[in-house]
Amino acid sequence: MTDLKGLDAHETEDWAISQGLKAFQGRQIRQWLFKKLVGSFDEMTNIPKPLRARLKEEENINHLEKVKVLTSEDGTQKFLFQLFDGHFIESVLIPEGDHSTLCISSQAGCAMGCRFCLTARQGLKRNLKASEIIDQVIQVRKSMDTPDRLTNIVLMGMGEPLANYDALVKALGNLISPDGMNFSNRKVTLSTCGLVPQIETLGRDVTVNLAISLNAADDETRDYLMPVNRKYPLRDLIAACKDFPLPNRRMITFEYILIKDVNDRPQDAQQLKGLLSGLRAKINLIPLNASPNADMAAPSMEKILQFQDILVKNHFTAMIRKSRGSDILAACGQLSGSYKE
Ligand code: SAH
């Protein structure tokens, strides 16, 4: 059985030829999968009927099982999918005016162990296959009344995308290539906790936007919040960001969760400013969402605005990111893929 949504254009042509089809029919099948979003060979009407019948016998078009969709009062939708081996993952569709952003997962669970994140609590179940990463986009699009409104993709769901590197790069390829789903690479953002070697190769392998989950501007605080920092401390992380190839006028996004009495003091903002000086950076400030650690809380709005003000006065773009879908546990750091009847 071939995992067709996990193949790139070349591999699909080779597969087609191995099946006794023509290379162009491989390209037609890609169109059906990624543009017309069909779920069966029967629907591929430009493939001759006998061929369709044979493909149906011998192959299978895998897809994620949509188990449940929750809708938040703010319109955010959380999709719970079951994988073929029983694990669960989540994707979150966030409407923003006339377009929507989909937040997708790269792993079932996560091994990174960040102290504030609910996904971390379950540990890593397994890496997603390239087809499972892109099929989240396909299945969600299929469920939409106006699928074209889905223009933005963020890899900020469950898992650490750069810890599942090969599958990730493959899925990104099919997401942004014109003969795949044809998303604009300006509208695809990968977020990482900071796996330095993979940040270095990513810039060479594919063009998408990069976001770094920074969350602290000194190693002591970052070690405490994010174990990955002990392996790749701030100096290495910032150096990799400085070397990251950025197309014209693009910036790296730095995500900074604000946590009361942990990283929210004016001197933390000053230190952040120093750390990011000389980088083409914009900063997203995220007040902590209800997290597994009951001893951590979001700062007061006054404190948050004060923190932002220091950055803005120093000429940084620093936005306070509104939390979406928290009533259905769909907000940042709240995805657990748990299934309750
Ligand atoms: N592993 C990747 C992708 C997951 S992104 C990464 O670390 O970037 C998840 C985003 O949600 C990150 O920016 C993270 O900092 C943020 N996040 C995690 N837990 C959170 C919480 N409890 N409140 C607010 N943001 C959180």
Side-chain angles (χ1 to χ4, degrees):
M1 213 77 90
T2 314
D3 195 19
L4 288 172
K5 291 174 196 164
L7 304 183
D8 64 22
H10 260 298
E11 291 165 337
T12 311
E13 289 182 18
D14 290 347
W15 164 84
I17 290 161
S18 76
Q19 291 291 315
L21 317 191
K22 300 277 191 285
F24 81 87
Q25 290 174 313
R27 294 195 289 276
Q28 287 177 328
I29 290 176
R30 269 176 79 78
Q31 295 248 326
W32 287 109
L33 293 175
F34 293 125
K35 296 208 199 306
K36 299 185 187 122
L37 315 178
V38 308
S40 71
F41 291 110
D42 283 335
E43 296 161 84
M44 302 183 177
T45 47
N46 59 3
I47 308 286
K49 246 191 173 152
L51 273 180
R52 272 187 264 160
R54 183 157 62 75
L55 289 172
K56 201 170 127 182
E57 289 279 298
E58 292 170 9
E59 294 284 352
N60 194 12
I61 299 173
N62 299 326
H63 65 87
L64 298 171
E65 214 55 64
K66 191 167 78 191
V67 180
K68 200 165 169 182
V69 183
L70 293 177
T71 304
S72 158
E73 40 195 47
D74 67 19
T76 301
Q77 286 187 302
K78 183 166 85 166
F79 292 74
L80 178 70
F81 292 109
Q82 185 163 30
L83 309 178
F84 69 90
D85 54 357
H87 294 303
F88 291 99
I89 56 163
E90 291 174 330
S91 321
V92 180
L93 181 62
I94 307 149
E96 292 159 308
D98 60 356
H99 75 278
S100 295
T101 297
L102 181 66
C103 174
I104 60 176
S105 296
S106 54
Q107 300 178 310
C110 186
M112 295 297 125
C114 299
R115 195 174 269 270
F116 42 77
C117 180
L118 199 56
T119 308
R121 228 181 3 183
Q122 58 182 269
L124 178 65
K125 308 287 192 215
R126 71 164 168 86
N127 278 334
L128 296 189
K129 303 195 273 182
S131 59
E132 293 168 330
I133 296 174
I134 198 156
D135 202 34
Q136 298 168 62
V137 184
I138 294 175
Q139 297 308 325
V140 169
R141 241 194 188 166
K142 269 178 93 145
S143 79
M144 295 171 70
D145 293 334
T146 35
D148 289 347
R149 286 210 178 153
L150 175 52
T151 51
N152 296 43
I153 303 291
V154 295
L155 276 133
M156 299 188 186
M158 297 169 71
E160 167 49 47
L162 295 185
N164 182 15
Y165 190 83
D166 293 344
L168 175 94
V169 168
K170 202 128 201 210
L172 287 177
N174 280 338
L175 195 62
I176 63 181
S177 81
D179 70 297
M181 294 194 84
N182 200 21
F183 277 84
S184 160
N185 67 39
R186 279 175 285 110
K187 304 209 163 158
V188 176
T189 302
L190 180 152
S191 178
T192 176
C193 65
L195 298 183
V196 166
Q198 289 91 327
I199 292 173
E200 288 164 0
T201 43
L202 183 73
R204 293 198 287 271
D205 287 342
V206 61
T207 301
V208 290
N209 297 314
L210 182 65
I212 305 285
S213 293
L214 191 63
N215 302 326
D218 66 274
D219 280 316
E220 195 187 336
T221 311
R222 200 164 190 270
D223 282 350
Y224 170 76
L225 291 173
M226 306 176 70
V228 68
N229 195 66
R230 294 181 208 136
K231 193 154 182 198
Y232 303 114
L234 284 168
R235 198 154 57 112
D236 300 351
L237 179 59
I238 296 301
C241 290
K242 288 203 163 126
D243 288 344
F244 192 78
L246 282 176
N248 263 346
R249 289 163 58 203
R250 283 206 217 177
M251 300 204 232
I252 298 181
T253 302
F254 289 86
E255 297 158 286
Y256 192 102
I257 306 176
L258 281 162
I259 309 172
K260 184 173 183 236
D261 299 332
V262 174
N263 63 3
D264 66 338
R265 298 163 307 168
Q267 61 259 48
D268 295 318
Q270 294 290 353
Q271 203 155 9
L272 180 59
K273 168 202 112 183
L275 187 72
L276 300 184
S277 73
L279 270 163
R280 271 150 65 190
K282 62 180 175 194
I283 303 166
N284 273 345
L285 300 171
I286 318 169
L288 180 78
N289 292 314
S291 89
N293 258 30
D295 59 335
M296 296 199 298
S300 65
M301 196 31 95
E302 191 191 345
K303 207 83 201 261
I304 294 170
L305 291 172
Q306 186 188 19
F307 196 98
Q308 180 190 33
D309 196 49
I310 293 171
L311 297 170
V312 171
K313 286 218 169 86
N314 284 284
H315 314 294
F316 279 103
T317 306
M319 310 280 273
I320 298 172
R321 212 163 67 180
K322 227 178 24 203
S323 169
R324 300 283 303 262
S326 52
D327 55 330
I328 53 168
L329 283 184
C332 298
Q334 298 190 319
L335 301 184
S336 68
S338 63
Y339 176 53
K340 290 195 207 76
E341 203 45 78

